[in-house]
Amino acid sequence: MNPFGKLSLERKSEITLKDVIMKKSHVAPCSIPVGCPVCTIIPSHMLRHLSRHGPAALREKAWQTLQHSERLRGQRDVLAGLGAGRWGVSPGSKRRTIYDLSHDTVLPGKRVRGEGDAKSRDVHVNEAYDHSGVTADFFRQVFGRNSVDDQGMRLDSSVHYYTDFDNAFWNGAQMVYGDGDGVVFQRFTKCLDIIGHELTHGVTQYEAGLAYQGQSGALNESFSDVFGSMVKQWKKKQTVAGADWWIGEGLFARGVRGDALRSLKAPGTAYDDPQIGRDPQPAHMRDYVKGGADHGGVHTNSGIPNHAFYLVATALGGHSWEKAGKIWYDTLCAVLRPHATFADAARGTLRSAGILYGSASREQDAVKSAWQQVGVL
Amino acid sequence: MRDGAALGAFDVSNMRLKLIRTGGVAGLAPPPVVVDTAALPEKEAQRVAALVAEARFFHLPAVVRSRKPQPDRFQYSLVIEQEGGRRHAVRCDEEAASGALCRLLHAVQTLKNLT
């Protein structure tokens, strides 16, 4: 199931370790024996970071090193803060719980399906369960990530929020889905990429923590679209050429003139309808929308970084999650800070591509070209 | 300005409401919902009046912002004019709104089909 294969994952882990060490401590990477469990030259705070945020193979090594250090030095505090939270749940297991609000708004509602329980008769419940499971599997199998917080966090979802509610959201701790009004929208549990989008908001919260305003907010939105799209492509085993690159295809109710909410391939073309208007997304900085609504247009200007990802993925070919996805994931987890701009994201992905695939590599060139084409670089 | 007494048969619960919603996972900006409670069925008008009272709408600050906005939530701008000239406008993030204000906002939004 692992698309990288065991050997290549190991190799990637070493590259990433060197990168993290260079960034965090400015120590020459060659002085550090990667496979060695007694790398006491690496500060414990960095090992803690690696044991939580590094790739799967690396987390194990970092954890072993922390344990070894503790035995050697008797420093129990090295392990403080990791403990049961990190290791109470074995990597790979999921803890999904679905709640039914029965049109109320007081979260979470009545528990109706837990992990491993039989199917419900309610399609909303089953879709929330299945799609959050696929998303969790995607993050684990592709990036070695253990749930939203990388510590095995529970995946809670509440369905039937209020009446005819036209939205889905992540409230910082769980997912919430409305039924849609049946006029513009169908039920919000319907699309795998929308559920992937919501869960990725959780991942971003625990990683770069991108502030939900202006450019950092549009990046927050874009990471959710990019990973939501990749979850769908991964589930369907689609190549970049075979994917539709839409977000929320099939979410609109019958009669609405539109294919989807957004398009990474051609931002601004997803819908054009007399009732709801026209897809306002730009694909280039010259069309960047300034203004106060929607936290400074976070769902509008995300079209620009969305299209940059599309350009990188299609330039590299194959499966989007194998290279472009890896570059974007590393940038989200190890580079970007809460108030990052589009330019920061461009420089960050350029740097991640250089570390993963080499300076002036085909991959790094693709990243540079993409950000140039959307007018950020 | 004319006042209620001058007009005689004035129902103090008659209100004009204008609601603008932005944000949400779809990022749509649907047309504003404009409602005159005088044009609503009586039961609906009474429900809206009760929700306005419960939310203590005319005592709310003009801006109700979330210190840490939640992704994909709605933002609302609601203006209510009462006959007699009383007018108040509130802009808010859904996650920062009280339960009563949320119920009012959601109810007004779903009145769009009755206008």
Side-chain angles (χ1 to χ4, degrees):
Chain A
M1 286 298 282
N2 178 356
F4 293 124
K6 193 172 188 308
L7 190 64
S8 82
L9 186 63
E10 289 291 328
R11 205 178 296 131
K12 281 175 199 304
S13 303
E14 293 182 10
I15 292 164
T16 309
L17 174 61
K18 285 178 187 173
D19 166 39
V20 173
I21 290 162
M22 279 198 296
K23 274 193 303 212
K24 298 282 178 186
S25 67
H26 310 288
V27 173
C30 57
S31 67
I32 301 198
V34 168
C36 169
V38 202
C39 301
T40 48
I41 192 169
I42 305 176
S44 60
H45 72 269
M46 193 188 304
L47 287 169
R48 270 196 294 271
H49 180 87
L50 286 173
S51 77
R52 292 180 53 183
H53 300 295
L58 192 55
R59 285 205 302 267
E60 209 58 48
K61 283 175 192 159
W63 174 250
Q64 283 166 13
T65 305
L66 275 168
Q67 286 183 310
H68 196 91
S69 306
E70 199 227 16
R71 278 198 297 276
L72 279 179
R73 290 181 266 158
Q75 291 180 340
R76 290 191 174 275
D77 60 327
V78 171
L79 300 174
L82 292 172
R86 168 73 176 82
W87 297 97
V89 181
S90 63
S93 69
K94 295 185 284 283
R95 293 189 293 164
R96 287 167 290 178
T97 311
I98 314 299
Y99 300 86
D100 187 345
L101 284 160
S102 302
H103 311 294
D104 197 353
T105 56
V106 182
L107 297 170
K110 185 187 169 198
R111 185 185 182 283
V112 288
R113 189 176 176 189
E115 189 64 44
D117 288 354
K119 273 196 166 190
S120 163
R121 276 177 299 181
D122 182 344
V123 67
H124 300 240
V125 170
N126 294 331
E127 286 172 342
Y129 183 90
D130 291 343
H131 293 341
S132 60
V134 172
T135 304
D137 290 345
F138 167 78
F139 274 105
R140 176 168 55 83
Q141 291 178 32
V142 176
F143 303 116
R145 186 179 188 85
N146 185 8
S147 189
V148 165
D149 62 350
D150 202 17
Q151 295 187 69
M153 184 181 182
R154 298 164 49 115
L155 301 174
D156 290 350
S157 312
S158 296
V159 300
H160 301 303
Y161 181 85
Y162 193 62
T163 306
D164 298 340
F165 196 68
D166 278 340
N167 204 14
F169 59 88
W170 167 259
N171 79 341
Q174 68 158 98
M175 292 153 280
V176 182
Y177 300 98
D179 294 351
D181 61 0
V183 178
V184 177
F185 292 109
Q186 302 187 54
R187 62 188 188 278
F188 278 77
T189 51
K190 193 180 171 196
C191 301
L192 172 60
D193 50 5
I194 295 293
I195 290 185
H197 175 108
E198 295 310 329
L199 276 170
T200 304
H201 278 310
V203 173
T204 298
Q205 174 185 317
Y206 283 92
E207 296 297 345
L210 292 162
Y212 207 64
Q213 177 71 40
Q215 289 201 3
S216 58
L219 286 172
N220 191 324
E221 271 305 309
S222 178
F223 276 103
S224 275
D225 279 352
V226 160
F227 285 85
S229 178
M230 276 195 285
V231 171
K232 188 171 81 172
Q233 293 174 31
W234 180 76
K235 175 67 178 168
K236 293 182 160 186
K237 299 183 169 60
Q238 288 174 328
T239 64
V240 294
D244 59 31
W245 295 94
W246 278 322
I247 295 294
E249 192 228 343
L251 185 60
F252 283 132
R254 204 167 291 170
V256 175
R257 284 187 214 157
D259 297 307
L261 299 184
R262 291 181 280 277
S263 167
L264 281 72
K265 183 177 183 175
T269 65
Y271 59 87
D272 188 355
D273 178 86
Q275 189 183 193
I276 59 170
R278 188 176 168 180
D279 177 1
Q281 280 210 317
H284 192 281
M285 279 307 280
R286 69 170 98 76
D287 301 315
Y288 185 91
V289 177
K290 287 180 185 160
D294 190 22
H295 298 292
V298 295
H299 291 90
T300 306
N301 293 316
S302 53
I304 296 165
N306 276 0
H307 194 55
F309 179 81
Y310 165 82
L311 292 170
V312 173
T314 48
L316 297 178
H319 294 122
S320 60
W321 59 88
E322 285 173 346
K323 285 185 173 177
K326 179 82 182 140
I327 294 167
W328 253 243
Y329 183 73
D330 277 11
T331 305
L332 179 67
C333 295
V335 181
L336 294 181
R337 294 180 174 278
H339 293 282
T341 61
F342 286 5
D344 292 332
R347 286 190 291 265
T349 49
L350 205 54
R351 182 177 172 179
S352 297
I355 290 160
L356 285 166
Y357 304 107
S359 282
S361 59
R362 182 174 153 264
E363 291 80 4
Q364 198 185 37
D365 287 348
V367 171
K368 191 175 181 181
S369 168
W371 289 107
Q372 284 170 339
Q373 288 178 69
V374 299
V376 172
L377 284 182
Chain B
M1 286 296 285
R2 295 178 300 180
D3 63 24
L7 280 171
F10 222 41
D11 184 348
V12 290
S13 71
N14 276 355
M15 289 177 283
R16 274 191 300 278
L17 302 90
K18 182 179 180 183
L19 179 67
I20 297 172
R21 193 191 76 195
T22 56
V25 65
L28 296 184
V33 178
V34 181
V35 179
D36 190 334
T37 57
L40 291 175
E42 196 183 332
K43 208 175 160 189
E44 281 297 312
Q46 282 172 359
R47 188 170 73 100
V48 171
L51 287 167
V52 170
E54 275 171 34
R56 298 177 54 77
F57 184 80
F58 286 93
H59 302 282
L60 291 174
V63 178
V64 181
R65 281 268 174 272
S66 169
R67 269 198 292 175
K68 201 162 192 252
Q70 293 174 9
D72 295 336
R73 298 302 295 261
F74 287 133
Q75 302 92 50
Y76 295 94
S77 162
L78 178 60
V79 182
I80 302 182
E81 286 174 9
Q82 270 184 332
E83 282 178 321
R86 196 181 190 195
R87 181 186 185 277
H88 189 52
V90 172
R91 282 189 301 141
C92 78
D93 292 332
E94 187 180 47
E95 67 272 29
S98 67
L101 178 57
C102 264
R103 284 192 292 278
L104 171 64
L105 294 165
H106 294 162
V108 176
Q109 186 67 40
T110 52
L111 288 175
K112 63 178 186 278
N113 300 328
L114 292 172
T115 57

